Amino acid sequence: MTLYWLLSVPAHGDGHAAWRDVKRCVSDSEVHDFLLPALKIGTLDTLVKLSDELSKHDAACEATVTKFIDTLRNLTDDSNNELAATLQVDGKSVDQYVKTFSWNNSKYRSDRSLPEIVAQISDSMATIEHQLKTKLTQYNAIKNSLATVRRKQTGNLSVKSLNGIVSRDDCISQSEFLQTVFVAVPRNLTKDWINSYERLTDMVVPRSSKKIAEDSEYVLYSAVLFRRVLDEFSNKARDMRFIVRDFVYDEEAMARDRAMAEEVIEQEEDLLDNISEWLKGSFGDVIAAWIHIKALRVFVESILRYGIPPDFLPVLVTPNTKQTSKIKQQLADFYSYLETSSRASERAELAGKTKSSKAAVKAEDSAFDMHEFSTILSDYTPYVFFEIPWTFLDEER
């Protein structure tokens, strides 16, 4: 399992010291910079509203990533390792991209307001979702057509095409009144067919039945009757579990069917290649949008938790998966002083900060006292914490 944690802790005016504190808490886990630009903060009301919206966008992005991976699994024969090697973000593997994340300022300009950036990311994801839905609809339609073609080619004698099974010599031709019918009879009912077909209706030519072909489930017989009784014969045959096939020997029609089958197979292959390439190409945009949403959540929650001006350290941690509970507890114990804003100043004093540096933490007095809500937030931590669960390719499904 590959798991990433996004943490944000107060810097107290000394990012290096804050880094060392985090590193000490997470033991031998990897710690990486998670660089954020100087984003516009906006009003408190805006931040509170964005906090809720970003949570929903985060879940939607994760769902889209899951859909991309599942669709690729269903459409290709690639193993998880092969998929992981081909799925890239800005020319990097997902792991490299996340660990070396840098805000894409050319795409998501940091001089725009936070709601504008969120709307831009949301719109881009909506466009990708729409494109995916359209492509899957097209592919499923042609896949259904292909299934029909293959069923006609490979099914039993009750459903498969009789082209190539019935020959011209098996049919009465150039008769105004007589017609040859082909009937799929279950193997266990062949005696019933032989004993009864002449009496199903009037105007059935006696002793006209002939075995044409057979498979593991059905035997295909022919019979000759007058055209005027075809419907009655078909109904009576159905009552006895005999299946009258809708087939008229027509070489031109058979040629058209073969050409149509080849066209459907070619269209399915082309669409499969097209959607697979599009999924792999668009995957990077989806991951990038998701991680930028995570970055925005870190920024917004850090401002709400620690106050302004911004003085926090965002980092990416790749935890030792065997020690996640222990590491979380160590972090919770170390940053327990954040549970009330008044104790933030105490922490600054305990850390040996000068009087001038205490000014950097005074703004924390105006931050929310999240401890008041800890009893109703089961996943509450005294520091800002988000997971990036990159477990989509961990095991074969």
Side-chain angles (χ1 to χ4, degrees):
M1 173 188 290
T2 304
L3 185 64
Y4 305 101
W5 290 350
L6 278 177
L7 309 181
S8 173
V9 298
H12 300 309
D14 189 342
H16 294 294
W19 173 282
R20 288 194 297 269
D21 289 342
V22 171
K23 183 63 179 174
R24 186 164 52 252
C25 289
V26 300
S27 306
D28 59 346
S29 299
E30 295 182 24
V31 181
H32 302 271
D33 289 318
F34 194 79
L35 303 177
L36 298 179
L39 297 167
K40 289 188 174 181
I41 296 174
T43 65
L44 178 61
D45 287 344
T46 299
L47 292 175
V48 173
K49 182 179 178 180
L50 278 178
S51 178
D52 181 57
E53 290 181 0
L54 285 168
S55 176
K56 296 175 182 177
H57 289 308
D58 190 351
C61 286
E62 184 173 348
T64 301
V65 172
T66 302
K67 189 181 298 184
F68 264 61
I69 297 295
D70 288 345
T71 303
L72 278 169
R73 279 200 185 100
N74 293 332
L75 296 183
T76 70
D77 296 325
D78 294 348
S79 67
N80 284 346
N81 288 338
E82 289 171 331
L83 281 178
T86 57
L87 297 178
Q88 296 193 337
V89 190
D90 294 342
K92 303 176 182 179
S93 68
V94 173
D95 183 69
Q96 290 174 321
Y97 176 79
V98 174
K99 289 180 178 179
T100 61
F101 174 78
S102 177
W103 184 270
N104 188 343
N105 203 52
S106 61
K107 189 171 186 179
Y108 307 116
R109 288 169 41 195
S110 59
D111 60 349
R112 303 179 68 185
S113 70
L114 293 177
E116 287 178 316
I117 297 174
V118 173
Q120 181 185 356
I121 298 176
S122 176
D123 289 345
S124 68
M125 290 299 293
T127 298
I128 290 175
E129 279 278 0
H130 177 72
Q131 291 174 334
L132 176 60
K133 183 178 180 180
T134 300
K135 290 179 180 294
L136 286 178
T137 299
Q138 293 173 342
Y139 179 73
N140 287 331
I142 197 67
K143 190 177 179 180
N144 290 336
S145 298
L146 180 61
T148 301
V149 168
R150 286 177 173 164
R151 186 167 58 250
K152 290 180 178 180
Q153 292 176 338
T154 63
N156 60 46
L157 287 168
S158 70
V159 295
K160 74 185 301 182
S161 172
L162 299 183
N163 294 338
I165 297 175
V166 175
S167 67
R168 180 185 295 276
D169 295 337
D170 296 322
C171 306
I172 287 181
S173 59
Q174 298 180 341
S175 173
E176 183 178 352
F177 302 104
L178 297 176
Q179 178 175 345
T180 303
V181 296
F182 298 91
V183 184
V185 179
R187 293 182 68 90
N188 62 338
L189 297 179
T190 54
K191 288 184 179 180
D192 293 348
W193 164 260
I194 293 171
N195 293 330
S196 65
Y197 79 91
E198 295 177 353
R199 298 188 300 277
L200 288 178
T201 64
D202 295 333
M203 298 185 180
V204 177
V205 176
R207 290 178 287 181
S208 62
S209 180
K210 181 175 68 171
K211 183 194 289 187
I212 304 298
E214 62 182 309
D215 59 25
S216 61
E217 299 177 65
Y218 290 89
V219 179
L220 185 70
Y221 287 98
S222 66
V224 180
L225 46 81
F226 279 76
R227 295 179 185 273
R228 59 186 293 185
V229 299
L230 176 60
D231 290 341
E232 182 184 0
F233 182 87
S234 298
N235 292 332
K236 293 291 183 62
R238 183 168 57 250
D239 292 340
M240 296 190 67
R241 295 170 55 199
F242 307 148
I243 302 172
V244 178
R245 297 297 310 276
D246 182 15
F247 176 80
V248 176
Y249 187 86
D250 183 335
E251 291 185 347
E252 291 184 359
M254 288 190 288
R256 287 195 299 270
D257 288 345
R258 284 194 296 269
M260 184 178 297
E262 292 173 358
E263 182 180 354
V264 169
I265 292 172
E266 184 176 346
Q267 287 179 347
E268 192 272 344
E269 292 175 348
D270 290 343
L271 273 177
L272 178 60
D273 290 340
N274 177 276
I275 193 171
S276 297
E277 289 303 312
W278 180 84
L279 283 165
K280 293 176 181 179
S282 300
F283 176 81
D285 294 332
V286 173
I287 290 292
W290 186 28
I291 303 305
H292 278 78
I293 288 290
K294 290 284 190 185
L296 288 171
R297 293 194 73 186
V298 170
F299 181 83
V300 169
E301 295 302 324
S302 296
I303 297 299
L304 289 175
R305 290 281 191 101
Y306 311 138
I308 54 176
D311 182 28
F312 57 88
L313 175 72
V315 295
L316 178 83
V317 176
T318 307
N320 183 330
T321 55
K322 296 180 180 180
Q323 300 180 10
T324 53
S325 297
K326 177 183 176 182
I327 296 171
K328 283 184 178 181
Q329 188 59 54
Q330 290 174 173
L331 286 165
D333 290 343
F334 185 84
Y335 291 104
S336 61
Y337 72 91
L338 294 173
E339 290 179 347
T340 58
S341 59
S342 62
R343 294 167 70 181
S345 297
E346 296 175 14
R347 170 57 187 159
E349 293 175 0
L350 291 173
K353 303 301 177 184
T354 63
K355 291 183 179 180
S356 59
S357 67
K358 290 179 185 178
V361 300
K362 282 184 179 179
E364 294 182 35
D365 292 336
S366 62
F368 286 155
D369 185 356
M370 292 300 294
H371 183 61
E372 296 177 9
F373 304 97
S374 62
T375 57
I376 61 173
L377 298 175
S378 59
D379 57 350
Y380 168 79
T381 59
Y383 49 90
V384 174
F385 174 86
F386 297 109
E387 285 189 352
I388 305 176
W390 184 244
T391 59
F392 306 99
L393 298 176
D394 281 343
E395 57 186 48
E396 302 292 340
R397 297 183 183 178

